[in-house]
Every structure is written in structure tokens, then in C-alpha cells.
Amino acid sequence: MSETPLPEPTPEPKADEPQRARAVARVRPAASSRALARVGPAATRALAPHAAPEDHAQFQRMVARAAAGAAGGALLADALAWVVGTGLWQSPILTVGVMAGALAAVSARGPKKWWRAALGGLAGVVGAGLFTLTSGLWPPFAALLLGAAAAPVLAEGQPLSRKAVTAGLAGVAGAAGIFVARVMLGWEVFDGVVPSLIGHAAAGSAAGLFVGLAGAPRFLGRPLDPVEAQYQPALAVKDGEIHGILTRTIGLHRALKADLAARAEDPGVDRVRGREQELVIRILQIAAECRRVQHDLEATPDKEIRERIEELGRRAEGAADAGARNTYQSAVASLEAQLEALTRIEAGRERIVARLHATVALLEKLRFSLIHLRSAHAERVGGELSPVTEALEALAYEIDATSSAVGEVFGADLALEPGDEGAEVVQLTAGRG
């Protein structure tokens, strides 16, 4: 796919440019293939200045999971401390419970949740054990070990450099969270306010909050999604209906991306993801062509052409020379053909926009198919009779049909070329007055 930028809007005509010449010269729409070729991705390697909306939601879910898991871990630690007969706030069991619970909860997402949760909890136990053994002699080193154990969970799937940053942040945040939990328990903040179990859970949750926040580097400064990179300039143009279509499309793309990420280990997900991105970009290309044609139509008002037709008609009636009269009449016929072409293009554009609405509806159907699979606990995304595949094929068919309609409506060459009948007279008369 071409990587040239979105087509720039046609510049406004200069004040000294003959209005009547523009009425004829600017009716020519470029061929659909040329217009679509100009629509390409922006710089997809640029880093997002702000996290995407789905990143905000995922980060919030991670922090909530860590807080809830640490609360549960604190309760288990409380029960174990009661069994061995020690106070929770001064016992290393609290550190183990908080870290194991927080990391287990963060890991417990996607397929094989229980297996992943067990691995996350094991990482928490290892980190808490190393932290407990070394914190008395070398607190900074102990925090570093704690962060190193938490980083594979908090920065799962990220580059090594990002994991290193997460490890440093997790070490500081984890040590601070454990300290806060101990202070809350040691000062008996919740005594006489809520039952002790709730107080212990609240202290653990406070520590888990610190651990969850340490996962922030995973969602900051990530490479911008290629679809987002192409849609950003287009969404900056607020032009009513087309802007609404594009806004709805990119919203559905974000939801689909999140749904597919939740099924990352299922067969066929990568194929569905790549095909969905391709089709969403094609929707943008078609919308960009509609915008371009609409701009050309607005720059060529039919009222101006009608006035030229009336003026040339009066000249034809008043011409004494038969040859001049015939030439004027040819010019009138040519302008009338241009006016008819404008009407056809406007009607065709309305049909294309209607098809874009239908395409967005099929994109919604694709998402509902994924939701249905999730609710039905289906094992395969790319199955032979998968509703996801069927919805994807229907979407591709609709976009192909819309692209063909774009070529039929906007691909015609409607402007007068030098040598066409009446072209010379139109140019001569347009330059007068």
C-alpha cells in the first residue's frame, strides 16, 4: 500500500482568477485509482504522544487487578500468620501475600488463566522472598530484585529495554507499597472502624495499587497503531457525515483490536487482525475520495454554470453571424453536459456515502461475531464455519462493491479537452467580462 500522505484539499481560487473558467475546468474528477493511490499511511513509526483510549482502559484494569489480588493475598497472609501465631504487620508473610496476589491477578487474563495466574503468583513469591532476605542489609538491591521478579508479569510481551524500566519502577513502587501496608497495619488505622479482615484487605489493596501503577511503561510511548496513524489526519477534518462515519469506524476498530488481543493465542487471530486492518483502511480511502469530490463540487457551483448557459444562450440569439451562433450553441450544449455530469456525480456520491454506512454496519456485525464467540467459549477463531470469517468475508465483499462504485461514479473524465466541440468558445468567452 502506498505510503504517501492523505490528499491535500484543493486550494481556494485566487480572487483574480476568472470565475467562469473555473466553472468548466474544475468539473473533472480524478480517476478513482489515482485518488485512492494517494491515500496512504502517515508515519506509522512515530510514537503516540498520548496513550490510546484502549490503553487507558487496559491500564486501569491492570491496576484494579493488582489491587484486588493484593487484597486477597493479604487475607491469605493474615490467615497463615494466625496459624503460625505471628502478627501480620511485622511478618514477611505480608510481603509474600501482597506480591503473589497482585502478580497472580495481573497474569490471570486471556486463555489458560489459572496456569498464567500460578506463574504470576510464583514470580511474586520469588520476588518477595528475595526482597525479604536482602532488605535488611541492602535495601536498594532488595528493591531491584523485587522489581526484576515483577517485570516479566507487568511488562509481558514488551522489549527488554521497557522491561528494564518497568523493573526499576516496580522495585521502588513495590517496596513503597509494602511499607505503606505495614504502616497502615502497625498504626491500626482501621481498628474500631471496620472488621479487621476488611482492614487487612484494605492495607493489602493499597500495596497492590503501587504494584499495578508500576506497569505504566507498558502503555506509554508505544508505536502508534498503523490504522490509527492513517485515521488521525482524517479525523481532524470535521465535515459532518463523513467525519461521523470515520469516527464510528475507528471506534469499532479499537474495540475489535481489544477483542482480538484477548484471543491472541487462538488459531487464525493474526489473519483476522490483518484482514480487519486492511478493510478499515480501505474504508478510509473511500471516505477520502468522497471528501475530495465533495470539495470539487463545492468549488464548482451549478448556479454559476447555469448563469453561463443563460449568458451564452443570449449571445447565440443576438449573434448576426451564423457560424458564431452555431459555436455559441455548441458551447451551451457542452456546459449543459457539464451540469448534467455534476448532478450525476452528486447523486453518485450520496450512494457511496450510503454504502459506507452499510459497510460500518457490517464492521459492527464482525465485532458482534467476536463477542458471540467469547460468550460461547469457542475454541477457534479461524474455523471453517466461523461466524467471524463469514462476517469478514461479507465486509470485504461490501467494500469491494463500494470501491467499484467509486470508480464508476468518480472515475469518468468529464471535463472538456482542447479540441472538443465548443471548448475553444467556452475558454474564450470565459476569459471575458
Side-chain angles (χ1 to χ4, degrees):
M1 183 171 294
S2 172
E3 294 194 358
T4 51
L6 288 169
E8 297 181 357
T10 307
E12 292 296 327
K14 298 180 179 179
D16 57 351
E17 183 179 354
Q19 294 287 334
R20 294 162 185 169
R22 297 200 309 275
V24 176
R26 303 188 70 170
V27 182
R28 182 203 308 272
S32 175
S33 60
R34 296 198 304 270
L36 294 183
R38 293 199 303 267
V39 182
T44 57
R45 294 179 182 269
L47 293 181
H50 303 287
E54 63 269 20
D55 286 343
H56 286 292
Q58 291 178 16
F59 179 53
Q60 291 167 5
R61 285 196 293 269
M62 173 185 282
V63 174
R65 282 177 175 272
L75 291 178
L76 291 177
D78 186 37
L80 184 58
W82 180 80
V83 170
V84 299
T86 183
L88 179 63
W89 73 274
Q90 59 186 356
S91 172
I93 298 176
L94 174 64
T95 304
V96 174
V98 165
M99 293 303 301
L103 296 184
V106 170
S107 298
R109 63 183 186 278
K112 302 179 181 178
K113 293 182 179 181
W114 295 110
W115 176 246
R116 291 167 57 88
L119 291 178
L122 179 61
V125 171
V126 171
L130 294 175
F131 177 80
T132 301
L133 292 175
T134 57
S135 60
L137 297 175
W138 312 291
F141 181 66
L144 181 61
L145 293 176
L146 182 65
V153 175
L154 298 177
E156 181 184 4
Q158 300 300 303
L160 184 60
S161 59
R162 199 174 292 269
K163 286 183 178 179
V165 174
T166 303
L169 185 58
V172 175
I178 294 169
F179 174 77
V180 169
R182 292 191 185 282
V183 169
M184 294 173 68
L185 292 174
W187 287 1
E188 300 180 347
V189 174
F190 299 101
D191 280 7
V193 179
V194 294
S196 60
L197 286 179
I198 297 178
H200 295 166
S205 179
L209 181 65
F210 281 80
V211 175
L213 291 174
R218 179 177 181 177
F219 305 96
L220 298 177
R222 297 199 299 177
L224 193 61
D225 178 85
V227 176
E228 296 273 357
Q230 295 190 54
Y231 267 75
Q232 278 189 353
L235 291 172
V237 180
K238 305 297 191 340
D239 58 353
E241 190 171 17
I242 293 296
H243 179 267
I245 290 174
L246 294 179
T247 300
R248 182 62 180 162
T249 300
I250 195 62
L252 288 169
H253 166 72
R254 290 165 180 165
L256 283 165
K257 185 170 69 170
D259 291 339
L260 291 171
R263 305 182 64 88
E265 297 183 4
D266 289 353
V269 164
D270 289 340
R271 181 183 61 83
V272 172
R273 182 186 293 110
R275 186 63 171 149
E276 183 268 340
Q277 290 183 355
E278 175 189 346
L279 296 176
V280 169
I281 290 173
R282 289 183 64 189
I283 293 175
L284 172 63
Q285 294 172 341
I286 295 171
E289 179 67 2
C290 288
R291 278 177 165 170
R292 189 196 66 79
V293 171
Q294 180 63 29
H295 189 277
D296 287 346
L297 290 174
E298 292 173 354
T300 312
D302 58 352
K303 180 181 179 181
E304 193 171 308
I305 298 180
R306 295 180 191 278
E307 291 175 354
R308 290 296 300 137
I309 291 174
E310 294 177 1
E311 179 183 350
L312 292 178
R314 289 193 298 268
R315 292 188 181 186
E317 292 176 359
D321 181 72
R325 184 184 307 110
N326 290 335
T327 305
Y328 277 128
Q329 290 173 349
S330 297
V332 169
S334 297
L335 286 173
E336 288 176 343
Q338 297 280 359
L339 186 62
E340 182 181 353
L342 281 177
T343 303
R344 290 199 306 269
I345 291 173
E346 178 61 31
R349 180 187 176 278
E350 292 180 358
R351 291 195 297 271
I352 301 275
V353 171
R355 298 198 73 136
L356 281 176
H357 281 291
T359 301
V360 173
L362 288 175
L363 193 63
E364 291 176 334
K365 181 180 179 181
L366 174 60
R367 195 200 170 200
F368 289 145
S369 298
L370 277 171
I371 293 175
H372 174 73
L373 282 180
R374 184 172 59 190
S375 63
H377 302 288
E379 295 183 357
R380 297 182 62 86
V381 170
E384 183 179 356
L385 299 178
S386 169
V388 173
T389 302
E390 294 175 2
L392 203 59
E393 291 176 353
L395 177 61
Y397 178 81
E398 178 64 26
I399 292 180
D400 286 339
T402 306
S403 298
S404 299
V406 169
E408 294 173 0
V409 174
F410 300 151
D413 201 0
L414 301 172
L416 288 175
E417 296 285 358
D420 290 347
E421 183 180 12
E424 294 181 2
V425 174
V426 172
Q427 293 294 333
L428 287 173
T429 56
R432 298 179 183 175

